[in-house]
Amino acid sequence: MEEINETYLSDWLANKITDEQLKGLVSAEDFVAFQKIKNTLSGVEITNPDLEQNFIAIKQKLADKKQTKQVKVVPIWRYASIAAGLLIFFSLYYSFIAENKIATGYGNTEIITLADNSKVSLNSKSTLAYSNIFKYKRTLQLEGEAFFEVQKGSAFTVETALGDVRVLGTKFNVIAFDDFFEVVCYEGKVKVTQKEKSTILTRGESVRFYHSISENWASKTAVKPSWISGESSFKNVPIHYVINQFENQYNVDVAFPNNIKEVKFTGTFTNKDLQVALQSICLPMHLKFTKNNTGKIIISE
């Protein structure tokens, strides 16, 4: 019925049928609705579209948009070459430039064999770092204490925050903790540089920098430091440094009077028995020690 009414409406609007004829074909309600439609359309002019003119206008808008924003199309082969380049870069980085870092915990030591077959014995609470190109540039960074057995070859440099040690082939021990920097030469010759001041050491010679003061001494020495065999040795060293080394070996906290901090200590303590080690530190200094209920060790005069 709707389709018929739509046909009558179109015929009526096209003046093919009169008002009276339409009234006889549709209900009074539909006639009123049709009349409203006719009134609404009255005065509305519908013209045929100028297709050619519209096409020209559309082309102009597209041209303007292209000038405003150029979209760069990158061929997929270029994306592939970029990805391959990045892959090569990161492969080279991790193969040749990336850093190796070894850190020891409380009471632990570690032996590292380097690419040139040099060996590093790393003491407790110490860190050693070097790049994967070490074989071609023999440079390491040390924080803590380590004994080096260097194979002959190109220059071998140990960098620390307190100074550098440079050698060709030798055996030496380096300590770099806080403001305490010490180097002992066990074989060959080493060059120690600290704040632009250089010192040459040969077998049995040592140098120490502490509180902007340098000390040199020579003595008959073993083939390697005693800590490698499980015993920490000190020669005229401030007691607070000795206690710090004790803490690193046994993973304990130690409290001591501030007025003894700079008192010098010469002696050894074992790295295998805490009680014996404490006695070795305290008895020669006429000090006492106790342990509180938290496990902290209290040293007193």
Side-chain angles (χ1 to χ4, degrees):
M1 190 66 172
E2 260 185 49
E3 290 181 3
I4 294 174
N5 283 349
E6 288 174 2
T7 302
Y8 293 156
L9 174 61
S10 62
D11 289 344
W12 179 58
L13 290 174
N15 294 318
K16 292 181 180 180
I17 58 176
T18 64
D19 291 352
E20 294 300 323
Q21 289 174 321
L22 180 63
K23 286 180 181 179
L25 296 172
V26 299
S27 66
E29 185 179 349
D30 285 343
F31 181 77
V32 172
F34 287 177
Q35 195 70 41
K36 289 181 179 180
I37 293 172
K38 188 175 184 178
N39 292 337
T40 301
L41 294 174
S42 178
V44 176
E45 183 178 358
I46 302 175
T47 59
N48 292 326
D50 189 338
L51 296 178
E52 183 178 356
Q53 186 65 34
N54 287 345
F55 179 69
I56 292 171
I58 291 170
K59 282 178 65 179
Q60 184 61 43
K61 285 186 177 181
L62 289 173
D64 292 343
K65 187 174 182 181
K66 187 175 182 181
Q67 290 177 359
T68 303
K69 185 177 181 180
Q70 291 287 339
V71 179
K72 188 174 182 181
V73 178
V74 180
I76 192 162
W77 63 264
R78 186 165 294 181
Y79 282 118
S81 65
I82 292 171
L86 288 172
L87 182 61
I88 292 171
F89 171 79
F90 285 113
S91 296
L92 288 172
Y93 177 83
Y94 284 107
S95 297
F96 298 105
I97 303 171
E99 185 180 70
N100 298 285
K101 184 173 282 188
I102 299 99
T104 52
Y106 290 102
N108 294 325
T109 62
E110 187 166 341
I111 298 175
I112 303 103
T113 300
L114 301 170
D116 65 342
N117 289 321
S118 294
K119 290 186 179 180
V120 183
S121 299
L122 198 61
N123 203 354
S124 62
K125 294 301 292 178
S126 300
T127 302
L128 184 75
Y130 57 94
S131 72
N132 280 341
I133 62 170
F134 172 80
K135 188 174 182 179
Y136 308 99
K137 184 181 179 183
R138 303 200 301 174
T139 301
L140 311 92
Q141 293 74 46
L142 172 69
E143 181 181 348
E145 182 172 11
F147 175 61
F148 296 86
E149 299 174 85
V150 179
Q151 293 291 319
K152 290 183 178 180
S154 59
F156 186 106
T157 304
V158 180
E159 299 175 340
T160 80
L162 303 174
D164 300 339
V165 184
R166 184 180 173 90
V167 301
L168 293 176
T170 186
K171 297 179 182 180
F172 60 98
N173 193 73
V174 181
I175 302 172
F177 274 115
D178 299 328
D179 58 352
F180 188 93
F181 182 41
E182 180 183 287
V183 181
V184 180
C185 181
Y186 289 86
E187 183 180 293
K189 183 186 293 186
V190 301
K191 180 181 180 181
V192 182
T193 303
Q194 202 265 351
K195 294 182 179 178
E196 300 181 355
K197 180 181 179 181
S198 295
T199 304
I200 302 295
L201 303 179
T202 57
R203 176 180 170 83
E205 294 183 333
S206 307
V207 65
R208 177 187 298 152
F209 299 91
Y210 179 69
H211 283 343
S212 301
I213 298 172
S214 64
E215 298 177 74
N216 291 77
W217 70 94
S219 60
K220 291 182 179 180
T221 182
V223 294
K224 55 183 62 178
S226 63
W227 65 262
I228 290 181
S229 302
E231 191 172 70
S232 296
S233 298
F234 308 89
K235 181 180 178 64
N236 204 32
V237 174
I239 189 68
H240 77 87
Y241 173 74
V242 177
I243 292 173
N244 177 255
Q245 289 296 87
F246 172 82
E247 291 175 321
N248 287 344
Q249 290 295 335
Y250 291 101
N251 190 16
V252 293
D253 289 328
V254 179
F256 57 92
N258 192 59
N259 64 304
I260 70 167
K261 182 178 179 180
E262 299 299 330
V263 174
K264 300 298 177 63
F265 175 88
T266 297
T268 63
F269 68 74
T270 178
N271 298 337
K272 300 176 181 178
D273 189 310
L274 184 148
Q275 190 74 12
V276 173
L278 267 175
Q279 291 173 349
S280 299
I281 295 170
C282 293
L283 292 180
M285 306 289 292
H286 305 290
L287 299 172
K288 301 174 184 177
F289 64 89
T290 57
K291 186 183 291 187
N292 64 19
N293 53 9
T294 65
K296 187 172 187 176
I297 296 170
I298 312 296
I299 293 178
S300 58
E301 295 182 272

